Amino acid sequence: MIRGFYTAASSLTAQQTNLDVIANNVANISTTGFKPQQVGFSSLLQENINGGAGNTISVGHGIKVGKTGLNLTQGDLKKTDMPLDFAIMGEGFFAVESEESGDITYTRDGSFRSLIDGRRNYLADTSGNYVLDARERKIELGEDFDYRQIGVFQFSNPYGLELSGGNRFSPTEVSGDPEDIDEPDIKVGYLENSAVQMAEEMVKMIEASKGFSFGSRVLQAADEMERTMNQLR
Amino acid sequence: MVRGFYSAAAGVLSQQKAIDVISNNIANTTTTGYKSQSTVETSFGEHLVSRMSASPGTAEKNIGPGSFMTANIETYTDFSQGTLEYTGRNVDMAIQGEGFFLVDSEKYGEVLTRNGRFELDEDGDLVLPGVGKVLNDRRREINLESSSFAVGADGTIYEDGHEVDTLFIAVGEEDFQLTNIGQDVFIGSGGYQRADEESFNVIQASIEKANVNMAKELSRIIAGQGHFQSCAQILKIYDKINELSVNRIGNLD
């Protein structure tokens, strides 16, 4: 088969992944504290082939999805006036602990609520995970509750965080260990909007869909050339 | 066999290879720092064509030069600047103007790239994922405390306002040849040195997009496909001629 056929096919799969990621960003346009992702592409290996008459020419084999990266730009703050809504200005993440597994994950989503556990009343996120303080303890919602108790953690390389679903991140070897921030800038009665820029995503979507259709046009051309060859006899 | 038969076959083959290269360009329209390529097709082996005849008086013996084949002699890479896109990611970088980032690849040694979609690895070294560590002006890896660093236009990296390292932006010396080995990286033959600070700008939180011109590539595909089909048609005609000469001429009825 003509190499170009497979090259074009690789572009279709890559653009599909690109579109999947863009669709996820667009779907989360109103998710509190959401950070958009970007797909990074890389070209496949080049090969030297016989160009005819003893010449070699170099031909590439298409494209692959290299890595999806996080864009950690600050989202706009939205005033809600709710006492248990919090937003972080600048760097950092809230830490939440899962009730079942005890795993600690990190999020920018500060829409918290109270969770009654027996006779005690704890601060928790919307999925029922406990919000932790700077020393990774649960925070009790008593009369002496102060928003300054809420812990905010930062990572040396937040781009290395792993998405663990539900708008939460898990630390990895690459991201480094969480460190609590002294006097973080937490705004009470505010939520951080999704950092997705609609116009930007739309432009990327057009780019991905055009890339896809150009790729399929090449696939078609390669197919027609194959047919021409088949009809030689 | 008739000579034109092989010429047409060579035309089919060379167009097929040209389409392979164009197809790779179109596939990589969204690849960071990709540089578009094209093949150069050329006639191969000029021959002096002469007529074989028993009686030289009937016609001129020499017809003149002719070429029977076309071949792809090389792949040409277009190193023009791609457009820059803002990504908002602190670890991304783009070069505007001359030069390449220098990356230490495990497999190929020092390689050059325009792809600035960097990351920090678990040791805090600046890396190009899948290729290797980005090198500084002393050709060592760049170790950083955190991902919140700043990069100046001349490639100097600052952490908390202090200068910590400088990127190696490479330009080739004379007789410099770049070979594309895929993954957006090139191997340079001949020496390279640090680029003059005035000849480039490093732009942080942006990437350089591929410099593929879609209109050009698609028209080339259409032209290439047409050329391919014409050559195939000629093949068919020759086939028919051969068929006729075998079946008809020898027939004495």
Side-chain angles (χ1 to χ4, degrees):
Chain A
M1 287 284 265
I2 299 178
R3 272 186 194 76
F5 189 86
Y6 301 105
T7 311
S10 79
S11 98
L12 297 190
T13 18
Q15 293 306 342
Q16 243 169 39
T17 313
N18 194 7
L19 210 56
D20 289 347
V21 171
I22 296 165
N24 185 46
N25 289 345
V26 173
N28 285 293
I29 188 89
S30 52
T31 305
T32 309
F34 181 80
K35 298 294 168 203
Q37 285 174 277
Q38 294 170 353
V39 180
F41 295 103
S42 139
S43 52
L44 292 174
L45 284 179
Q46 294 270 333
E47 186 191 21
N48 286 328
I49 61 166
N50 180 11
N55 300 299
T56 49
I57 58 164
S58 147
V59 176
H61 281 84
I63 183 172
K64 68 168 186 215
V65 172
K67 174 168 203 309
T68 49
L70 279 172
N71 178 359
L72 295 163
T73 316
Q74 168 96 39
D76 302 330
L77 297 194
K78 178 174 69 181
K79 195 168 165 57
T80 60
D81 283 331
M82 302 290 279
L84 293 185
D85 280 351
F86 306 95
I88 306 170
M89 279 294 278
E91 275 186 57
F93 298 87
F94 296 115
V96 293
E97 183 183 354
S98 160
E99 198 185 355
E100 296 100 45
S101 64
D103 288 342
I104 299 174
T105 49
Y106 298 85
T107 181
R108 292 280 295 189
D109 179 356
S111 58
F112 298 146
R113 55 170 69 167
S114 77
L115 183 79
I116 295 163
D117 181 10
R119 259 185 262 155
R120 284 160 182 268
N121 194 0
Y122 290 110
L123 189 66
D125 74 0
T126 43
S127 326
N129 301 316
Y130 296 110
V131 179
L132 303 178
D133 69 5
R135 289 194 209 155
E136 300 189 339
R137 293 171 307 196
K138 296 174 193 171
I139 300 169
E140 207 170 330
L141 279 175
E143 277 177 11
D144 54 351
F145 167 72
D146 181 2
Y147 76 89
R148 290 184 198 90
Q149 283 176 270
I150 301 173
V152 175
F153 298 86
Q154 66 177 359
F155 298 88
S156 64
N157 177 24
Y159 295 114
L161 289 171
E162 196 178 81
L163 275 85
S164 52
N167 206 3
R168 292 189 298 273
F169 302 95
S170 306
T172 62
E173 270 186 17
V174 179
S175 72
D177 292 328
E179 289 164 48
D180 64 296
I181 305 181
D182 284 341
E183 296 179 17
D185 192 358
I186 300 179
K187 302 278 183 224
V188 187
Y190 286 90
L191 286 178
E192 183 183 355
N193 278 340
S194 168
V196 178
Q197 298 290 329
M198 204 55 180
E200 213 173 272
E201 299 299 329
M202 279 303 173
V203 169
K204 277 195 206 144
M205 195 183 82
I206 293 169
E207 200 179 54
S209 93
K210 282 288 178 287
F212 189 88
S213 51
F214 280 135
S216 55
R217 178 69 188 82
V218 178
L219 197 76
Q220 204 184 346
D223 182 42
E224 279 167 17
M225 284 163 68
E226 292 287 351
R227 199 177 315 151
T228 309
M229 287 319 282
N230 279 333
Q231 284 165 352
L232 269 181
R233 272 200 64 83
Chain B
M1 282 283 254
V2 189
R3 213 159 47 202
F5 194 82
Y6 301 104
S7 304
V12 168
L13 284 174
S14 76
Q15 285 314 309
Q16 188 175 319
K17 286 163 197 162
I19 295 271
D20 290 344
V21 172
I22 299 167
S23 167
N24 190 46
N25 287 339
I26 293 183
N28 283 292
T29 41
T30 47
T31 305
T32 316
Y34 179 79
K35 297 292 167 202
S36 79
Q37 295 182 306
S38 51
T39 55
V40 183
E41 284 123 57
T42 178
S43 57
F44 160 69
E46 297 258 310
H47 295 278
L48 207 60
V49 186
S50 56
R51 179 174 286 132
M52 304 282 277
S53 171
S55 53
T58 51
E60 237 352 89
K61 198 175 174 190
N62 291 330
I63 300 174
S67 172
F68 313 138
M69 295 279 178
T70 130
N72 309 68
I73 50 164
E74 60 171 337
T75 313
Y76 164 78
T77 308
D78 171 14
F79 284 103
S80 63
Q81 172 85 42
T83 48
L84 301 182
E85 184 190 55
Y86 177 75
T87 62
R89 286 163 50 80
N90 223 13
V91 285
D92 289 342
M93 286 170 221
I95 301 175
Q96 189 188 31
E98 256 191 287
F100 295 86
F101 296 111
L102 196 61
V103 179
D104 184 29
S105 151
E106 266 181 30
K107 213 165 159 189
Y108 304 104
E110 282 181 6
V111 292
L112 300 124
T113 184
R114 293 279 288 195
N115 179 358
R117 232 175 224 286
F118 300 143
E119 295 281 346
L120 288 182
D121 71 0
E122 58 268 24
D123 304 322
D125 291 340
L126 196 65
V127 292
L128 181 61
V131 181
K133 294 186 177 177
V134 183
L135 299 180
N136 67 8
D137 51 350
R138 296 185 308 280
R139 299 192 175 186
R140 296 278 172 79
E141 64 270 12
I142 298 172
N143 193 275
L144 297 165
E145 290 284 315
S146 75
S147 60
S148 50
F149 56 87
V151 182
D154 58 351
T156 315
I157 302 174
Y158 301 91
E159 273 189 321
D160 297 326
H162 300 293
E163 197 179 316
V164 288
D165 228 326
T166 310
L167 288 162
F168 194 113
I169 306 294
V171 286
E173 288 162 3
E174 268 181 69
D175 307 326
F176 185 61
Q177 288 282 327
L178 284 169
T179 314
N180 191 335
I181 50 168
Q183 290 190 302
D184 308 335
V185 300
F186 298 88
I187 293 183
S189 66
Y192 38 84
Q193 60 195 24
R194 289 188 67 193
D196 181 18
E197 279 179 17
E198 319 249 295
S199 66
F200 67 88
N201 278 320
V202 177
I203 296 160
Q204 196 181 9
S206 297
I207 50 163
E208 183 182 352
K209 310 218 73 178
N211 68 348
V212 180
N213 180 338
M214 286 313 255
K216 207 157 96 186
E217 301 298 336
L218 264 190
S219 46
R220 273 199 208 145
I221 278 267
I222 294 168
Q225 195 187 350
H227 189 169
F228 180 92
Q229 276 162 344
S230 310
C231 289
Q233 195 61 38
I234 301 274
L235 270 181
K236 259 181 161 174
I237 293 170
Y238 273 117
D239 191 35
K240 193 77 188 169
I241 292 174
N242 286 339
E243 189 190 318
L244 289 177
S245 49
V246 169
N247 292 335
R248 290 271 179 84
I249 298 175
N251 199 338
L252 295 172
D253 290 343

